[in-house]
Amino acid sequence: MSTIRTVAISTTDVFRLLLQRRGGRAGLPGVVLLVLIATSADFLASDKPLLLSLGGHLYVLPNLFDPVALTAHSNQSLFRTMAAGDWLVAPLVPFGMNEQDKDELPLSPPSTRHLLGTDGARRDVLARLIHGSRISLAVGLLSVLITITLGTVLGLTAGFVGGPIDAVISRASETMIAVPALFLVLAVMGVVEQAGVGATILVIALVSWARVARLVRAETLRLREMEFVTAAVALGFSTRRILFHHILPNAMAPILVSATFGMASAILMEASLSFLGFGTPDSHASWGGLLHGAMGSFHAWWLVIFPGAAIFATVMAYNLTGDALRDILDPRLRHE
Amino acid sequence: MLRYAARRALQFVPTFVGVTLLVFLLLRLAPGDPATAEGDLSLMPTAASLAEWRHLKGMDQPLYTQYLRWLWSCVSFDFGTSLFDERPVRVLILEALPRTLLLTSLALVCTYALAIPLGVHSAAARGTKTDTVLSTLVFVLYSLPTFWVALVLLVLFGGGQFWHIFPVRGLSTDGLEDAALVVRGLDFIWHLVLPVCCLTYPGLARTSRYQRAAMLEVLSQDFVRTARAKGLSERRVIWRHAWPNALVPVLALLSVDLPWLVGGSVIVERVFTIRGMGLLTFEAILRRDYPVILGVTALVAMTTMVGMLVGDLALAWADPRIRYPARPR
């Protein structure tokens, strides 16, 4: 009764097909750009120079290789105190994410000194934006990793083993879906004292695994009836081997699609949490936290526009990629 | 049909207990305690006064007693008493619910009123530039974070550096209590504009895509070709013949919206300071007022399940195969 609809596509094929689609062409570069910004944040915005010649000594990337040597200095102090013959190459944004610029007013609008203005504590908004991409990316990646692992294992088990185990897992995932995610996340974050980034990641995973589990369960139920699984059972393979070597590879496509959309929703949820004042502490720059700081000072439009635009662009990039990926990988949509 | 409904409803009992037990345990086992959270009692409580307070609130009893007691209060629709407000949670909810319902139902009407024409139009113009533009537009709207849109609207229209057109907080202007009914009515509507906008746009993408897909399926059927062959105008073919057949799946979405109608949006109510269900929950969480959090969770969980039940029943009514599960092979 079941026909084989699984299509084998290699990773390079996926990327090629992604770039053939309008959504993928717009989304994929956005995703790559975010990763680049997050990994090179320390070189894009830092209170330490990239290259510095001070008193005849040459420092190369001091914030990376020699963090202790220049603790007393920053770009700004070096600009003021450098002797003749000393020189430095400052990063694009010569301010650290937590550096308070004493020469600037709090909440000052965009200027050549601070391209995107400063926040209420005289910190550079652009520097905080650049470093905030790390929180977004880390929270997104780690929570999606946990969500997918948990959801896949539970979904595979429920779908393949069936019986009372299936009933328990199905009821549990129905339970999780019955509570609005943000309510539950807020409730947990509210009671956990000094909730940090780690707690945010765990809580997002806690409220998201159920959808993946349901998806994987449905996929497993479909695959279980196929001839190659019957053959594997007949060959006497262990349940674990059948699950992870025969069923899982064939269920990978929908999992991958849901992981991509999961990135968008996890990033959005972290931003919502930080915006409401839970989650990421102020010492870590985060996009939602920047918007939280904008509440109550609505004349500071630069505190609202830029962080929100960053969140929007990121979420959009992942949604576009996910959409294109689904078009490519989902065989049920293929023939439309 | 009735047996199917009863069976389905019974399955929700463990789910309801699961949801509330989960939230209850999370709230009661997590470090942090309402007695020491922000509130009147945080003004240097002594150990004795703390113990007395906990005894008064029944928090010194075993957890299962507390939970069962709360469950019983649920059965009688009382939901316990707020730890700080001293009023029954039911009263607090009944105070907040109308404001949320007003906002969300207005937004729901707006969403469907905009999304249905959008979806029908996209489907009728499938593959053309119009279709692409409309699809892109709703996709962009879908990715816009609500809290950002709310803040941008406030920055633009709420009297920052730009225009001061719309009010920033609440649902009425202070000092207008004695004004004429018309003035108060207009003032009320004026307060609703921005929050309702923020609640309307996120649903557009989902609803219009559903409508588009349903429409495409109907448009490919024979009776549509017949209608066209009869020489009917395209407008009449689309709206009188095709659309009514493509409306059911979209209306089925309403059952999914039910919990949202009741629970509201924490973010929108927080940004615009509207004392509805979202803000009630938010403040209860800040104060660790767990009877209130539990009460709201229970209510939202109940409506979710009622929504699921209604959706399932509608499906079963339309498709008898679901009503009678197939015999195991």
Side-chain angles (χ1 to χ4, degrees):
Chain A
M1 58 163 273
S2 44
T3 51
I4 295 178
R5 280 182 296 183
T6 328
V7 185
I9 301 182
S10 74
T11 317
T12 33
D13 278 343
V14 170
F15 279 109
R16 191 174 47 79
L17 285 167
L18 262 181
L19 287 174
Q20 276 173 8
R21 272 152 212 278
R22 205 178 309 144
R25 260 208 306 277
L28 206 57
V31 170
V32 173
L33 185 69
L34 179 77
V35 174
L36 286 179
I37 291 177
T39 45
S40 58
D42 276 335
F43 313 122
L44 291 172
S46 170
D47 54 344
K48 301 282 184 284
L50 296 175
L51 275 175
L52 170 69
S53 166
L54 190 68
H57 191 290
L58 181 70
Y59 297 88
V60 181
L61 295 176
N63 56 359
L64 196 64
F65 298 115
D66 208 357
V68 195
L70 289 172
T71 26
H73 298 282
S74 70
N75 287 317
Q76 303 308 312
S77 71
L78 285 166
F79 280 140
R80 276 193 298 270
T81 58
M82 266 190 317
D86 292 345
W87 53 270
L88 64 79
V89 178
L92 203 64
V93 183
F95 296 97
M97 64 165 179
N98 283 320
E99 185 185 4
Q100 305 191 343
D101 186 1
K102 303 276 185 306
D103 305 332
E104 192 66 78
L105 291 170
L107 291 177
S108 59
S111 61
T112 44
R113 184 178 172 86
H114 296 283
L115 289 176
L116 300 186
T118 62
D119 71 357
R122 303 165 194 248
R123 295 175 297 199
D124 187 87
V125 171
L126 183 53
R128 284 185 83 69
L129 265 186
I130 290 172
H131 283 268
S133 65
R134 290 188 162 175
I135 295 287
S136 288
L137 202 65
V139 170
L141 277 176
L142 290 174
S143 64
V144 165
L145 202 68
I146 300 173
T147 303
I148 295 292
T149 313
L150 209 63
T152 305
V153 170
L154 288 173
L156 279 174
T157 317
F160 195 76
V161 180
I165 294 177
D166 178 29
V168 169
I169 295 176
S170 295
R171 281 295 93 75
S173 59
E174 204 172 69
T175 304
M176 294 309 297
I177 290 171
V179 206
L182 195 61
F183 265 47
L184 195 58
V185 169
L186 274 176
V188 178
M189 295 303 279
V191 289
V192 178
E193 267 167 290
Q194 287 161 351
V197 182
T200 313
I201 293 170
L202 286 179
V203 165
I204 293 178
L206 173 79
V207 298
S208 334
W209 64 268
R211 280 173 209 286
V212 181
R214 283 166 76 105
L215 182 89
V216 175
R217 177 179 173 272
E219 203 62 13
T220 309
L221 284 178
R222 183 175 72 82
L223 291 167
R224 185 173 79 166
E225 304 299 325
M226 289 195 174
E227 283 84 356
F228 69 89
V229 175
T230 319
V233 175
L235 281 167
F237 290 160
S238 71
T239 307
R240 190 199 291 178
R241 176 162 177 180
I242 296 172
L243 281 180
F244 289 100
H245 290 259
H246 297 262
I247 291 184
L248 184 58
N250 288 295
M252 240 13 238
I255 295 177
L256 207 63
V257 173
S258 117
T260 316
F261 285 121
M263 278 297 285
S265 74
I267 288 172
L268 201 58
M269 203 175 281
E270 188 277 327
S272 311
L273 274 178
S274 305
F275 168 70
L276 288 171
F278 295 97
T280 315
D282 195 46
S283 54
H284 288 279
S286 79
W287 295 343
L290 276 163
L291 284 173
H292 178 68
M295 282 282 281
S297 48
F298 292 130
H299 67 279
W301 55 267
W302 55 94
L303 271 184
V304 171
I305 301 294
F306 301 123
I311 299 168
F312 166 61
T314 306
V315 170
M316 183 88 180
Y318 276 102
N319 278 340
L320 281 171
T321 312
D323 214 43
L325 208 56
R326 184 173 50 195
D327 282 358
I328 295 168
L329 293 179
D330 198 333
R332 267 151 295 192
L333 287 169
R334 183 75 56 77
H335 49 77
E336 259 187 27
Chain B
M1 189 73 194
L2 212 62
R3 276 186 57 183
Y4 175 76
R7 200 172 65 221
R8 215 54 200 106
L10 267 181
Q11 280 181 355
F12 285 132
V13 174
T15 309
F16 179 77
V17 173
V19 173
T20 51
L21 194 61
L22 175 78
V23 175
F24 178 81
L25 288 178
L26 278 175
L27 292 175
R28 300 297 289 122
L29 291 179
D33 186 314
T36 50
E38 320 162 52
D40 304 337
L41 279 152
S42 62
L43 306 164
M44 302 296 284
T46 61
S49 74
L50 265 181
E52 195 193 342
W53 189 78
R54 294 164 138 270
H55 177 70
L56 208 68
K57 306 289 181 192
M59 280 166 59
D60 52 352
Q61 291 178 4
L63 276 181
Y64 64 88
T65 320
Q66 291 185 38
Y67 178 71
L68 287 179
R69 196 185 260 185
W70 179 82
L71 208 59
W72 176 246
S73 74
C74 244
V75 174
S76 55
F77 278 96
D78 175 291
F79 296 119
T81 311
S82 160
L83 290 183
F84 299 97
D85 216 296
E86 304 293 340
R87 286 189 292 170
V89 175
R90 184 191 52 209
V91 174
L92 293 175
I93 288 181
L94 283 180
E95 224 172 71
L97 192 57
R99 299 191 190 112
T100 292
L101 270 180
L102 177 78
L103 281 178
T104 48
S105 50
L106 269 176
L108 195 74
V109 170
C110 292
T111 301
Y112 279 77
L114 287 169
I116 289 175
L118 268 176
V120 172
H121 225 77
S122 281
R126 181 189 194 178
T128 66
K129 206 165 238 170
T130 324
D131 183 23
T132 318
V133 169
L134 289 181
S135 300
T136 315
L137 184 77
V138 292
F139 200 81
V140 169
L141 286 179
Y142 172 72
S143 299
L144 278 173
T146 314
F147 51 93
W148 187 42
V149 173
L151 283 179
V152 168
L153 287 175
L154 278 185
V155 165
L156 279 181
F157 303 117
Q161 276 186 356
F162 303 94
W163 301 281
H164 193 165
I165 303 176
F166 291 105
V168 183
R169 46 187 295 132
L171 285 177
S172 59
T173 310
D174 292 337
L176 268 185
E177 289 83 2
D178 299 326
L181 195 64
V182 185
V183 177
R184 270 188 297 157
L186 283 176
D187 178 60
F188 185 57
I189 294 171
W190 216 228
H191 279 80
L192 286 175
V193 175
L194 293 188
V196 169
C197 282
C198 289
L199 291 170
T200 298
Y201 83 84
L204 279 181
R206 184 205 59 179
T207 318
S208 69
R209 281 195 149 192
Y210 252 78
Q211 179 68 86
R212 181 177 178 273
M215 230 8 222
L216 283 179
E217 205 169 316
V218 173
L219 283 178
S220 67
Q221 287 176 22
D222 288 341
F223 75 90
V224 175
R225 199 174 42 192
T226 311
R228 285 207 177 105
K230 278 199 305 187
L232 295 179
S233 72
E234 187 61 20
R235 196 192 162 91
R236 203 175 160 80
V237 171
I238 298 281
W239 287 103
R240 279 300 289 275
H241 290 249
W243 181 59
N245 292 293
L247 192 59
V248 178
V250 176
L251 289 184
L253 273 180
L254 280 173
S255 66
V256 183
D257 286 326
L258 209 59
W260 174 79
L261 272 179
V262 171
S265 158
V266 178
I267 286 168
V268 171
E269 291 181 11
R270 164 100 178 85
V271 173
F272 293 101
T273 329
I274 293 163
R275 313 205 68 78
M277 297 290 282
L279 202 56
L280 179 73
T281 322
F282 184 72
E283 288 180 345
I285 286 168
L286 282 184
R287 297 199 295 186
R288 287 164 213 195
D289 194 346
Y290 74 91
V292 176
I293 308 176
L294 267 177
V296 177
T297 313
L299 187 70
V300 174
M302 273 188 216
T303 43
T304 310
M305 286 179 249
V306 169
M308 281 177 169
L309 189 63
V310 170
D312 281 354
L313 287 183
L315 265 178
W317 176 68
D319 186 350
R321 276 174 303 179
I322 299 169
R323 243 178 296 162
Y324 308 104
R327 271 185 224 102
R329 282 186 293 163

